[in-house]
Structures are given as structure tokens and as C-alpha cells.
Amino acid sequence: MKKILILTDFSDPAWNALFTALKLHEGRECQFFLLHTYEPGFAGVLSSRAKRRVGVLYDSLEAHTHDELDKIEDYLDVHHHEPQHYFRSVSLAEDLVEGIQKSVREEEIDLIVMGTKGAT
């Protein structure tokens, strides 16, 4: 079974990347991992005490992430009828690169798919 990591920030390019990956792997047995990472940019400069104070922010980001990943899974349940495709959502409170590395290592990912917008 092919293991595919799909990065999402819930944007239109991320949705397009998901749809493209699904289309390219029609008829193949695949495990898709939908990954979203969230790490506020300022978190690296905060003391541990200050990080505890912004725990509410992390809780909010986590809740938002789970809601958005649930929407993707709900959409796929209704509109995607490929019996050989399996999905798992992954939400990590980490830097994007660290989250990718962790997922690739732990899940033995074969392919990473992501969407982009523009030249940058």
C-alpha cells in the first residue's frame, strides 16, 4: 500500500493538491495522511512561563485544526468513493518541517503532496 502525506493549510491550493493526488492514484490502494501543523511564529521566543499563558491560543488553534480536518474527512466520506483509499488526519503543534519529518519517519511515507500559490 502506498502511503501519501498531503499537507494542508485548508486553502484552495491545498484542496487542489488533495484532489490531484486522489485522481492520480485512482484504482491504487493508498493510505492518505492529511497533515496540518500549527506553531505560532512567536512561540520560539517565549519563555516557558509565557508559553503557559498563551495556552488558550494553542487550544484555539488545535480546535480550529480539528474542525477543519473533520470538514475534509466529511467531504471525502460523501464525495470520494474509491474503496482502496484510506484517510487519516494528523494535527501537530509543531513547525511544518519538523511535522513533515516526524510524519515521514513514523509512517514511512512514500510521497509528499502539497499545493502552492504563485511563484513563491
Side-chain angles (χ1 to χ4, degrees):
M1 176 183 318
K2 192 166 193 173
K3 295 182 177 181
I4 302 170
L5 182 67
I6 300 180
L7 309 178
T8 185
D9 60 359
F10 315 116
S11 66
D12 287 342
W15 277 96
N16 290 337
L18 171 61
F19 296 143
T20 300
L22 296 176
K23 189 71 171 166
L24 289 173
H25 292 88
E26 272 183 345
R28 296 186 186 134
E29 188 175 13
C30 298
Q31 173 75 47
F32 293 93
F33 296 86
L34 306 170
L35 173 67
H36 179 77
T37 63
Y38 57 95
E39 176 70 18
F42 61 83
V45 297
L46 295 176
S47 68
S48 60
R49 183 176 178 187
K51 283 184 180 179
R52 284 191 301 271
R53 290 181 184 160
V54 295
V56 172
L57 174 62
Y58 276 95
D59 292 345
S60 176
L61 287 170
E62 182 179 23
H64 173 72
T65 296
H66 286 293
D67 288 346
E68 292 298 318
L69 287 170
D70 286 346
K71 287 178 188 175
I72 293 172
E73 287 185 5
D74 291 344
Y75 178 88
L76 292 170
D77 285 344
V78 172
H79 299 286
H80 186 69
H81 305 291
E82 179 65 54
Q84 297 186 72
H85 287 179
Y86 308 95
F87 299 93
R88 192 169 113 206
S89 296
V90 181
S91 174
L92 299 174
E94 297 184 15
D95 173 72
L96 177 62
V97 173
E98 292 170 3
I100 293 170
Q101 291 172 339
K102 180 178 180 179
S103 297
V104 167
R105 184 176 52 253
E106 290 179 0
E107 302 298 341
E108 299 178 354
I109 298 295
D110 298 306
L111 177 68
I112 300 172
V113 177
M114 64 180 282
T116 183
K117 181 179 179 181
T120 58

mmCIF file of all heavy atoms in Angstrom, residues 63-110:
data_model
loop_
_atom_site.group_PDB
_atom_site.id
_atom_site.type_symbol
_atom_site.label_atom_id
_atom_site.label_comp_id
_atom_site.label_asym_id
_atom_site.label_seq_id
_atom_site.Cartn_x
_atom_site.Cartn_y
_atom_site.Cartn_z
ATOM 1 N N ALA A 63 -8.323 23.333 18.264
ATOM 2 C CA ALA A 63 -9.754 23.140 17.992
ATOM 3 C C ALA A 63 -10.084 23.488 16.538
ATOM 4 O O ALA A 63 -10.816 22.757 15.861
ATOM 5 C CB ALA A 63 -10.589 23.984 18.944
ATOM 6 N N HIS A 64 -9.535 24.612 16.063
ATOM 7 C CA HIS A 64 -9.767 25.032 14.677
ATOM 8 C C HIS A 64 -9.234 23.972 13.710
ATOM 9 O O HIS A 64 -9.905 23.615 12.727
ATOM 10 C CB HIS A 64 -9.099 26.379 14.411
ATOM 11 C CG HIS A 64 -9.145 26.790 12.973
ATOM 12 N ND1 HIS A 64 -10.306 27.198 12.353
ATOM 13 C CD2 HIS A 64 -8.185 26.823 12.022
ATOM 14 C CE1 HIS A 64 -10.050 27.478 11.085
ATOM 15 N NE2 HIS A 64 -8.769 27.251 10.864
ATOM 16 N N THR A 65 -8.041 23.469 13.978
ATOM 17 C CA THR A 65 -7.434 22.461 13.117
ATOM 18 C C THR A 65 -8.296 21.211 13.052
ATOM 19 O O THR A 65 -8.570 20.678 11.972
ATOM 20 C CB THR A 65 -6.025 22.106 13.626
ATOM 21 O OG1 THR A 65 -5.202 23.262 13.523
ATOM 22 C CG2 THR A 65 -5.408 20.988 12.818
ATOM 23 N N HIS A 66 -8.752 20.742 14.201
ATOM 24 C CA HIS A 66 -9.586 19.538 14.214
ATOM 25 C C HIS A 66 -10.902 19.764 13.474
ATOM 26 O O HIS A 66 -11.369 18.883 12.747
ATOM 27 C CB HIS A 66 -9.833 19.066 15.647
ATOM 28 C CG HIS A 66 -8.629 18.428 16.263
ATOM 29 N ND1 HIS A 66 -8.110 17.234 15.828
ATOM 30 C CD2 HIS A 66 -7.819 18.836 17.271
ATOM 31 C CE1 HIS A 66 -7.044 16.923 16.535
ATOM 32 N NE2 HIS A 66 -6.848 17.889 17.421
ATOM 33 N N ASP A 67 -11.485 20.943 13.634
ATOM 34 C CA ASP A 67 -12.729 21.264 12.911
ATOM 35 C C ASP A 67 -12.516 21.221 11.401
ATOM 36 O O ASP A 67 -13.329 20.662 10.661
ATOM 37 C CB ASP A 67 -13.258 22.642 13.313
ATOM 38 C CG ASP A 67 -13.840 22.683 14.704
ATOM 39 O OD1 ASP A 67 -14.091 21.605 15.284
ATOM 40 O OD2 ASP A 67 -14.043 23.803 15.218
ATOM 41 N N GLU A 68 -11.434 21.834 10.950
ATOM 42 C CA GLU A 68 -11.159 21.884 9.505
ATOM 43 C C GLU A 68 -10.827 20.501 8.950
ATOM 44 O O GLU A 68 -11.264 20.146 7.852
ATOM 45 C CB GLU A 68 -10.026 22.870 9.212
ATOM 46 C CG GLU A 68 -10.391 24.323 9.471
ATOM 47 C CD GLU A 68 -11.526 24.811 8.583
ATOM 48 O OE1 GLU A 68 -11.541 24.498 7.376
ATOM 49 O OE2 GLU A 68 -12.412 25.514 9.098
ATOM 50 N N LEU A 69 -10.056 19.711 9.698
ATOM 51 C CA LEU A 69 -9.750 18.354 9.248
ATOM 52 C C LEU A 69 -11.013 17.495 9.213
ATOM 53 O O LEU A 69 -11.191 16.673 8.310
ATOM 54 C CB LEU A 69 -8.682 17.720 10.144
ATOM 55 C CG LEU A 69 -7.269 18.273 9.960
ATOM 56 C CD1 LEU A 69 -6.342 17.749 11.055
ATOM 57 C CD2 LEU A 69 -6.704 17.949 8.590
ATOM 58 N N ASP A 70 -11.900 17.711 10.173
ATOM 59 C CA ASP A 70 -13.184 16.991 10.163
ATOM 60 C C ASP A 70 -13.999 17.348 8.921
ATOM 61 O O ASP A 70 -14.658 16.481 8.329
ATOM 62 C CB ASP A 70 -13.993 17.302 11.424
ATOM 63 C CG ASP A 70 -13.450 16.624 12.667
ATOM 64 O OD1 ASP A 70 -12.612 15.697 12.537
ATOM 65 O OD2 ASP A 70 -13.849 17.032 13.781
ATOM 66 N N LYS A 71 -13.964 18.620 8.518
ATOM 67 C CA LYS A 71 -14.686 19.035 7.308
ATOM 68 C C LYS A 71 -14.149 18.316 6.071
ATOM 69 O O LYS A 71 -14.913 17.900 5.204
ATOM 70 C CB LYS A 71 -14.567 20.550 7.108
ATOM 71 C CG LYS A 71 -15.382 21.358 8.079
ATOM 72 C CD LYS A 71 -15.172 22.837 7.841
ATOM 73 C CE LYS A 71 -15.810 23.680 8.921
ATOM 74 N NZ LYS A 71 -15.513 25.123 8.764
ATOM 75 N N ILE A 72 -12.822 18.183 5.993
ATOM 76 C CA ILE A 72 -12.223 17.481 4.859
ATOM 77 C C ILE A 72 -12.663 16.018 4.865
ATOM 78 O O ILE A 72 -13.070 15.477 3.835
ATOM 79 C CB ILE A 72 -10.680 17.582 4.894
ATOM 80 C CG1 ILE A 72 -10.234 19.028 4.671
ATOM 81 C CG2 ILE A 72 -10.055 16.661 3.837
ATOM 82 C CD1 ILE A 72 -8.754 19.264 4.874
ATOM 83 N N GLU A 73 -12.590 15.383 6.034
ATOM 84 C CA GLU A 73 -12.998 13.983 6.116
ATOM 85 C C GLU A 73 -14.479 13.804 5.785
ATOM 86 O O GLU A 73 -14.856 12.854 5.098
ATOM 87 C CB GLU A 73 -12.683 13.423 7.502
ATOM 88 C CG GLU A 73 -11.203 13.200 7.727
ATOM 89 C CD GLU A 73 -10.902 12.542 9.058
ATOM 90 O OE1 GLU A 73 -11.838 12.153 9.785
ATOM 91 O OE2 GLU A 73 -9.714 12.405 9.362
ATOM 92 N N ASP A 74 -15.321 14.709 6.258
ATOM 93 C CA ASP A 74 -16.754 14.648 5.944
ATOM 94 C C ASP A 74 -16.982 14.771 4.441
ATOM 95 O O ASP A 74 -17.791 14.044 3.857
ATOM 96 C CB ASP A 74 -17.533 15.734 6.687
ATOM 97 C CG ASP A 74 -17.604 15.497 8.185
ATOM 98 O OD1 ASP A 74 -17.319 14.363 8.636
ATOM 99 O OD2 ASP A 74 -17.938 16.467 8.908
ATOM 100 N N TYR A 75 -16.276 15.717 3.815
ATOM 101 C CA TYR A 75 -16.395 15.899 2.369
ATOM 102 C C TYR A 75 -15.998 14.617 1.639
ATOM 103 O O TYR A 75 -16.692 14.166 0.728
ATOM 104 C CB TYR A 75 -15.520 17.069 1.905
ATOM 105 C CG TYR A 75 -15.585 17.259 0.406
ATOM 106 C CD1 TYR A 75 -16.561 18.058 -0.161
ATOM 107 C CD2 TYR A 75 -14.682 16.604 -0.429
ATOM 108 C CE1 TYR A 75 -16.648 18.215 -1.534
ATOM 109 C CE2 TYR A 75 -14.767 16.749 -1.804
ATOM 110 C CZ TYR A 75 -15.742 17.558 -2.355
ATOM 111 O OH TYR A 75 -15.831 17.695 -3.712
ATOM 112 N N LEU A 76 -14.869 14.036 2.038
ATOM 113 C CA LEU A 76 -14.393 12.819 1.381
ATOM 114 C C LEU A 76 -15.354 11.653 1.591
ATOM 115 O O LEU A 76 -15.556 10.850 0.676
ATOM 116 C CB LEU A 76 -12.994 12.464 1.891
ATOM 117 C CG LEU A 76 -11.889 13.438 1.478
ATOM 118 C CD1 LEU A 76 -10.601 13.128 2.225
ATOM 119 C CD2 LEU A 76 -11.672 13.436 -0.018
ATOM 120 N N ASP A 77 -15.943 11.554 2.773
ATOM 121 C CA ASP A 77 -16.922 10.488 3.037
ATOM 122 C C ASP A 77 -18.104 10.566 2.079
ATOM 123 O O ASP A 77 -18.614 9.550 1.624
ATOM 124 C CB ASP A 77 -17.435 10.561 4.479
ATOM 125 C CG ASP A 77 -16.433 10.061 5.496
ATOM 126 O OD1 ASP A 77 -15.461 9.372 5.103
ATOM 127 O OD2 ASP A 77 -16.612 10.367 6.689
ATOM 128 N N VAL A 78 -18.523 11.785 1.761
ATOM 129 C CA VAL A 78 -19.693 11.978 0.903
ATOM 130 C C VAL A 78 -19.336 11.895 -0.584
ATOM 131 O O VAL A 78 -20.057 11.282 -1.372
ATOM 132 C CB VAL A 78 -20.370 13.339 1.209
ATOM 133 C CG1 VAL A 78 -21.455 13.641 0.204
ATOM 134 C CG2 VAL A 78 -20.913 13.353 2.628
ATOM 135 N N HIS A 79 -18.208 12.485 -0.985
ATOM 136 C CA HIS A 79 -17.925 12.675 -2.406
ATOM 137 C C HIS A 79 -16.847 11.771 -2.995
ATOM 138 O O HIS A 79 -16.694 11.728 -4.215
ATOM 139 C CB HIS A 79 -17.529 14.132 -2.666
ATOM 140 C CG HIS A 79 -18.606 15.104 -2.309
ATOM 141 N ND1 HIS A 79 -19.739 15.278 -3.068
ATOM 142 C CD2 HIS A 79 -18.743 15.935 -1.240
ATOM 143 C CE1 HIS A 79 -20.518 16.188 -2.502
ATOM 144 N NE2 HIS A 79 -19.937 16.589 -1.392
ATOM 145 N N HIS A 80 -16.085 11.096 -2.175
ATOM 146 C CA HIS A 80 -14.995 10.269 -2.699
ATOM 147 C C HIS A 80 -15.328 8.802 -2.438
ATOM 148 O O HIS A 80 -15.420 8.367 -1.304
ATOM 149 C CB HIS A 80 -13.667 10.652 -2.037
ATOM 150 C CG HIS A 80 -12.500 9.953 -2.637
ATOM 151 N ND1 HIS A 80 -12.050 10.212 -3.905
ATOM 152 C CD2 HIS A 80 -11.706 8.970 -2.160
ATOM 153 C CE1 HIS A 80 -11.010 9.440 -4.172
ATOM 154 N NE2 HIS A 80 -10.780 8.670 -3.129
ATOM 155 N N HIS A 81 -15.491 8.053 -3.517
ATOM 156 C CA HIS A 81 -15.962 6.675 -3.396
ATOM 157 C C HIS A 81 -14.943 5.671 -3.930
ATOM 158 O O HIS A 81 -15.304 4.724 -4.616
ATOM 159 C CB HIS A 81 -17.301 6.513 -4.122
ATOM 160 C CG HIS A 81 -18.327 7.491 -3.644
ATOM 161 N ND1 HIS A 81 -18.889 7.422 -2.390
ATOM 162 C CD2 HIS A 81 -18.865 8.578 -4.232
ATOM 163 C CE1 HIS A 81 -19.747 8.419 -2.234
ATOM 164 N NE2 HIS A 81 -19.755 9.136 -3.342
ATOM 165 N N GLU A 82 -13.703 5.872 -3.612
ATOM 166 C CA GLU A 82 -12.651 4.939 -4.018
ATOM 167 C C GLU A 82 -12.430 3.959 -2.868
ATOM 168 O O GLU A 82 -11.915 4.334 -1.820
ATOM 169 C CB GLU A 82 -11.361 5.697 -4.331
ATOM 170 C CG GLU A 82 -10.195 4.827 -4.730
ATOM 171 C CD GLU A 82 -10.410 4.093 -6.043
ATOM 172 O OE1 GLU A 82 -10.723 4.746 -7.052
ATOM 173 O OE2 GLU A 82 -10.277 2.855 -6.038
ATOM 174 N N PRO A 83 -12.820 2.687 -3.030
ATOM 175 C CA PRO A 83 -12.745 1.744 -1.913
ATOM 176 C C PRO A 83 -11.324 1.411 -1.458
ATOM 177 O O PRO A 83 -11.141 0.919 -0.345
ATOM 178 C CB PRO A 83 -13.450 0.493 -2.459
ATOM 179 C CG PRO A 83 -13.396 0.623 -3.937
ATOM 180 C CD PRO A 83 -13.378 2.093 -4.238
ATOM 181 N N GLN A 84 -10.340 1.685 -2.287
ATOM 182 C CA GLN A 84 -8.957 1.380 -1.919
ATOM 183 C C GLN A 84 -8.225 2.564 -1.295
ATOM 184 O O GLN A 84 -7.024 2.490 -1.064
ATOM 185 C CB GLN A 84 -8.188 0.897 -3.145
ATOM 186 C CG GLN A 84 -8.735 -0.404 -3.711
ATOM 187 C CD GLN A 84 -7.865 -0.907 -4.819
ATOM 188 O OE1 GLN A 84 -6.765 -1.380 -4.586
ATOM 189 N NE2 GLN A 84 -8.356 -0.782 -6.048
ATOM 190 N N HIS A 85 -8.932 3.650 -1.049
ATOM 191 C CA HIS A 85 -8.320 4.828 -0.439
ATOM 192 C C HIS A 85 -8.741 4.922 1.021
ATOM 193 O O HIS A 85 -9.922 4.847 1.349
ATOM 194 C CB HIS A 85 -8.740 6.100 -1.175
ATOM 195 C CG HIS A 85 -8.090 6.244 -2.510
ATOM 196 N ND1 HIS A 85 -8.345 7.314 -3.340
ATOM 197 C CD2 HIS A 85 -7.187 5.473 -3.176
ATOM 198 C CE1 HIS A 85 -7.631 7.193 -4.449
ATOM 199 N NE2 HIS A 85 -6.927 6.073 -4.372
ATOM 200 N N TYR A 86 -7.763 5.107 1.876
ATOM 201 C CA TYR A 86 -7.986 5.235 3.318
ATOM 202 C C TYR A 86 -7.392 6.554 3.771
ATOM 203 O O TYR A 86 -6.350 6.975 3.260
ATOM 204 C CB TYR A 86 -7.338 4.069 4.062
ATOM 205 C CG TYR A 86 -7.748 2.737 3.492
ATOM 206 C CD1 TYR A 86 -6.951 2.098 2.547
ATOM 207 C CD2 TYR A 86 -8.941 2.139 3.863
ATOM 208 C CE1 TYR A 86 -7.329 0.885 1.999
ATOM 209 C CE2 TYR A 86 -9.335 0.922 3.317
ATOM 210 C CZ TYR A 86 -8.517 0.301 2.386
ATOM 211 O OH TYR A 86 -8.906 -0.891 1.839
ATOM 212 N N PHE A 87 -8.039 7.192 4.739
ATOM 213 C CA PHE A 87 -7.623 8.527 5.165
ATOM 214 C C PHE A 87 -7.405 8.578 6.668
ATOM 215 O O PHE A 87 -8.141 7.958 7.433
ATOM 216 C CB PHE A 87 -8.692 9.564 4.782
ATOM 217 C CG PHE A 87 -8.929 9.636 3.303
ATOM 218 C CD1 PHE A 87 -9.928 8.880 2.713
ATOM 219 C CD2 PHE A 87 -8.132 10.428 2.503
ATOM 220 C CE1 PHE A 87 -10.141 8.920 1.345
ATOM 221 C CE2 PHE A 87 -8.338 10.475 1.134
ATOM 222 C CZ PHE A 87 -9.343 9.721 0.558
ATOM 223 N N ARG A 88 -6.400 9.349 7.039
ATOM 224 C CA ARG A 88 -6.159 9.623 8.445
ATOM 225 C C ARG A 88 -5.704 11.063 8.583
ATOM 226 O O ARG A 88 -4.814 11.516 7.857
ATOM 227 C CB ARG A 88 -5.091 8.693 9.010
ATOM 228 C CG ARG A 88 -5.035 8.779 10.519
ATOM 229 C CD ARG A 88 -4.192 7.684 11.108
ATOM 230 N NE ARG A 88 -3.038 8.348 11.683
ATOM 231 C CZ ARG A 88 -1.868 7.811 11.853
ATOM 232 N NH1 ARG A 88 -1.651 6.575 11.485
ATOM 233 N NH2 ARG A 88 -0.890 8.482 12.388
ATOM 234 N N SER A 89 -6.317 11.784 9.499
ATOM 235 C CA SER A 89 -5.941 13.178 9.759
ATOM 236 C C SER A 89 -4.880 13.233 10.837
ATOM 237 O O SER A 89 -4.940 12.497 11.822
ATOM 238 C CB SER A 89 -7.160 13.981 10.218
ATOM 239 O OG SER A 89 -8.113 14.034 9.200
ATOM 240 N N VAL A 90 -3.934 14.143 10.634
ATOM 241 C CA VAL A 90 -2.858 14.335 11.596
ATOM 242 C C VAL A 90 -2.740 15.821 11.871
ATOM 243 O O VAL A 90 -2.577 16.621 10.952
ATOM 244 C CB VAL A 90 -1.508 13.798 11.061
ATOM 245 C CG1 VAL A 90 -0.408 13.978 12.083
ATOM 246 C CG2 VAL A 90 -1.636 12.340 10.637
ATOM 247 N N SER A 91 -2.826 16.178 13.135
ATOM 248 C CA SER A 91 -2.709 17.569 13.558
ATOM 249 C C SER A 91 -1.560 17.654 14.551
ATOM 250 O O SER A 91 -1.575 16.982 15.585
ATOM 251 C CB SER A 91 -4.025 18.003 14.218
ATOM 252 O OG SER A 91 -3.887 19.290 14.761
ATOM 253 N N LEU A 92 -0.557 18.466 14.229
ATOM 254 C CA LEU A 92 0.620 18.565 15.090
ATOM 255 C C LEU A 92 0.897 20.009 15.475
ATOM 256 O O LEU A 92 0.915 20.895 14.609
ATOM 257 C CB LEU A 92 1.854 17.995 14.380
ATOM 258 C CG LEU A 92 1.809 16.521 13.981
ATOM 259 C CD1 LEU A 92 3.043 16.159 13.166
ATOM 260 C CD2 LEU A 92 1.701 15.643 15.215
ATOM 261 N N ALA A 93 1.161 20.241 16.749
ATOM 262 C CA ALA A 93 1.541 21.568 17.232
ATOM 263 C C ALA A 93 3.050 21.694 17.109
ATOM 264 O O ALA A 93 3.785 21.708 18.096
ATOM 265 C CB ALA A 93 1.089 21.759 18.678
ATOM 266 N N GLU A 94 3.507 21.745 15.868
ATOM 267 C CA GLU A 94 4.936 21.802 15.573
ATOM 268 C C GLU A 94 5.180 22.675 14.354
ATOM 269 O O GLU A 94 4.261 23.014 13.624
ATOM 270 C CB GLU A 94 5.476 20.394 15.274
ATOM 271 C CG GLU A 94 5.378 19.438 16.426
ATOM 272 C CD GLU A 94 6.013 18.088 16.108
ATOM 273 O OE1 GLU A 94 6.764 17.989 15.125
ATOM 274 O OE2 GLU A 94 5.740 17.150 16.866
ATOM 275 N N ASP A 95 6.431 22.962 14.136
ATOM 276 C CA ASP A 95 6.888 23.622 12.927
ATOM 277 C C ASP A 95 6.591 22.702 11.739
ATOM 278 O O ASP A 95 6.627 21.471 11.867
ATOM 279 C CB ASP A 95 8.398 23.885 13.056
ATOM 280 C CG ASP A 95 8.998 24.427 11.784
ATOM 281 O OD1 ASP A 95 8.730 25.590 11.461
ATOM 282 O OD2 ASP A 95 9.721 23.660 11.106
ATOM 283 N N LEU A 96 6.288 23.275 10.586
ATOM 284 C CA LEU A 96 5.920 22.492 9.404
ATOM 285 C C LEU A 96 6.993 21.469 9.037
ATOM 286 O O LEU A 96 6.689 20.291 8.834
ATOM 287 C CB LEU A 96 5.639 23.410 8.209
ATOM 288 C CG LEU A 96 5.318 22.707 6.887
ATOM 289 C CD1 LEU A 96 4.057 21.864 7.013
ATOM 290 C CD2 LEU A 96 5.193 23.719 5.769
ATOM 291 N N VAL A 97 8.241 21.903 8.957
ATOM 292 C CA VAL A 97 9.318 20.993 8.550
ATOM 293 C C VAL A 97 9.465 19.856 9.563
ATOM 294 O O VAL A 97 9.596 18.691 9.183
ATOM 295 C CB VAL A 97 10.647 21.759 8.370
ATOM 296 C CG1 VAL A 97 11.802 20.802 8.108
ATOM 297 C CG2 VAL A 97 10.522 22.776 7.236
ATOM 298 N N GLU A 98 9.413 20.171 10.847
ATOM 299 C CA GLU A 98 9.509 19.135 11.877
ATOM 300 C C GLU A 98 8.333 18.167 11.788
ATOM 301 O O GLU A 98 8.500 16.958 11.949
ATOM 302 C CB GLU A 98 9.558 19.762 13.268
ATOM 303 C CG GLU A 98 10.826 20.532 13.540
ATOM 304 C CD GLU A 98 10.756 21.355 14.821
ATOM 305 O OE1 GLU A 98 9.732 21.282 15.534
ATOM 306 O OE2 GLU A 98 11.723 22.070 15.100
ATOM 307 N N GLY A 99 7.147 18.704 11.517
ATOM 308 C CA GLY A 99 5.963 17.861 11.378
ATOM 309 C C GLY A 99 6.064 16.915 10.198
ATOM 310 O O GLY A 99 5.677 15.746 10.287
ATOM 311 N N ILE A 100 6.597 17.417 9.089
ATOM 312 C CA ILE A 100 6.785 16.574 7.908
ATOM 313 C C ILE A 100 7.796 15.474 8.206
ATOM 314 O O ILE A 100 7.557 14.296 7.933
ATOM 315 C CB ILE A 100 7.228 17.412 6.690
ATOM 316 C CG1 ILE A 100 6.111 18.347 6.251
ATOM 317 C CG2 ILE A 100 7.665 16.505 5.542
ATOM 318 C CD1 ILE A 100 6.535 19.378 5.224
ATOM 319 N N GLN A 101 8.930 15.860 8.786
ATOM 320 C CA GLN A 101 9.968 14.884 9.094
ATOM 321 C C GLN A 101 9.460 13.804 10.047
ATOM 322 O O GLN A 101 9.720 12.613 9.845
ATOM 323 C CB GLN A 101 11.190 15.577 9.692
ATOM 324 C CG GLN A 101 11.934 16.428 8.690
ATOM 325 C CD GLN A 101 13.023 17.276 9.331
ATOM 326 O OE1 GLN A 101 13.013 17.539 10.529
ATOM 327 N NE2 GLN A 101 13.974 17.704 8.514
ATOM 328 N N LYS A 102 8.724 14.213 11.061
ATOM 329 C CA LYS A 102 8.169 13.264 12.025
ATOM 330 C C LYS A 102 7.194 12.303 11.342
ATOM 331 O O LYS A 102 7.250 11.089 11.551
ATOM 332 C CB LYS A 102 7.460 14.028 13.144
ATOM 333 C CG LYS A 102 6.845 13.156 14.198
ATOM 334 C CD LYS A 102 6.201 14.007 15.281
ATOM 335 C CE LYS A 102 5.582 13.151 16.363
ATOM 336 N NZ LYS A 102 4.990 13.984 17.425
ATOM 337 N N SER A 103 6.310 12.833 10.501
ATOM 338 C CA SER A 103 5.326 12.007 9.809
ATOM 339 C C SER A 103 5.988 11.032 8.844
ATOM 340 O O SER A 103 5.611 9.852 8.789
ATOM 341 C CB SER A 103 4.328 12.879 9.055
ATOM 342 O OG SER A 103 3.600 13.683 9.953
ATOM 343 N N VAL A 104 6.966 11.497 8.094
ATOM 344 C CA VAL A 104 7.667 10.641 7.133
ATOM 345 C C VAL A 104 8.367 9.500 7.865
ATOM 346 O O VAL A 104 8.291 8.339 7.454
ATOM 347 C CB VAL A 104 8.667 11.464 6.292
ATOM 348 C CG1 VAL A 104 9.621 10.559 5.528
ATOM 349 C CG2 VAL A 104 7.928 12.396 5.347
ATOM 350 N N ARG A 105 9.007 9.833 8.960
ATOM 351 C CA ARG A 105 9.743 8.832 9.731
ATOM 352 C C ARG A 105 8.792 7.809 10.382
ATOM 353 O O ARG A 105 8.980 6.598 10.247
ATOM 354 C CB ARG A 105 10.591 9.544 10.788
ATOM 355 C CG ARG A 105 11.492 8.670 11.612
ATOM 356 C CD ARG A 105 12.376 9.469 12.571
ATOM 357 N NE ARG A 105 11.634 10.393 13.408
ATOM 358 C CZ ARG A 105 11.625 11.728 13.264
ATOM 359 N NH1 ARG A 105 12.326 12.305 12.304
ATOM 360 N NH2 ARG A 105 10.928 12.489 14.078
ATOM 361 N N GLU A 106 7.762 8.295 11.052
ATOM 362 C CA GLU A 106 6.876 7.406 11.805
ATOM 363 C C GLU A 106 5.951 6.578 10.921
ATOM 364 O O GLU A 106 5.635 5.435 11.246
ATOM 365 C CB GLU A 106 6.041 8.212 12.803
ATOM 366 C CG GLU A 106 6.855 8.768 13.945
ATOM 367 C CD GLU A 106 6.035 9.590 14.926
ATOM 368 O OE1 GLU A 106 4.804 9.734 14.723
ATOM 369 O OE2 GLU A 106 6.622 10.102 15.896
ATOM 370 N N GLU A 107 5.501 7.139 9.820
ATOM 371 C CA GLU A 107 4.526 6.448 8.968
ATOM 372 C C GLU A 107 5.145 5.831 7.719
ATOM 373 O O GLU A 107 4.443 5.220 6.926
ATOM 374 C CB GLU A 107 3.405 7.418 8.554
ATOM 375 C CG GLU A 107 2.665 8.044 9.715
ATOM 376 C CD GLU A 107 1.939 7.040 10.596
ATOM 377 O OE1 GLU A 107 1.688 5.887 10.151
ATOM 378 O OE2 GLU A 107 1.621 7.394 11.738
ATOM 379 N N GLU A 108 6.453 6.022 7.540
ATOM 380 C CA GLU A 108 7.160 5.500 6.366
ATOM 381 C C GLU A 108 6.479 5.958 5.071
ATOM 382 O O GLU A 108 6.076 5.166 4.222
ATOM 383 C CB GLU A 108 7.270 3.979 6.435
ATOM 384 C CG GLU A 108 8.042 3.509 7.653
ATOM 385 C CD GLU A 108 8.132 1.991 7.766
ATOM 386 O OE1 GLU A 108 7.504 1.273 6.952
ATOM 387 O OE2 GLU A 108 8.833 1.537 8.676
ATOM 388 N N ILE A 109 6.360 7.273 4.948
ATOM 389 C CA ILE A 109 5.676 7.922 3.827
ATOM 390 C C ILE A 109 6.438 7.699 2.522
ATOM 391 O O ILE A 109 7.661 7.811 2.483
ATOM 392 C CB ILE A 109 5.513 9.429 4.110
ATOM 393 C CG1 ILE A 109 4.652 9.663 5.347
ATOM 394 C CG2 ILE A 109 4.996 10.176 2.899
ATOM 395 C CD1 ILE A 109 3.222 9.213 5.240
ATOM 396 N N ASP A 110 5.697 7.402 1.451
ATOM 397 C CA ASP A 110 6.283 7.205 0.121
ATOM 398 C C ASP A 110 6.275 8.485 -0.717
ATOM 399 O O ASP A 110 7.129 8.650 -1.590
ATOM 400 C CB ASP A 110 5.487 6.129 -0.646
ATOM 401 C CG ASP A 110 5.531 4.780 0.052
ATOM 402 O OD1 ASP A 110 6.645 4.298 0.327
ATOM 403 O OD2 ASP A 110 4.448 4.230 0.331
#
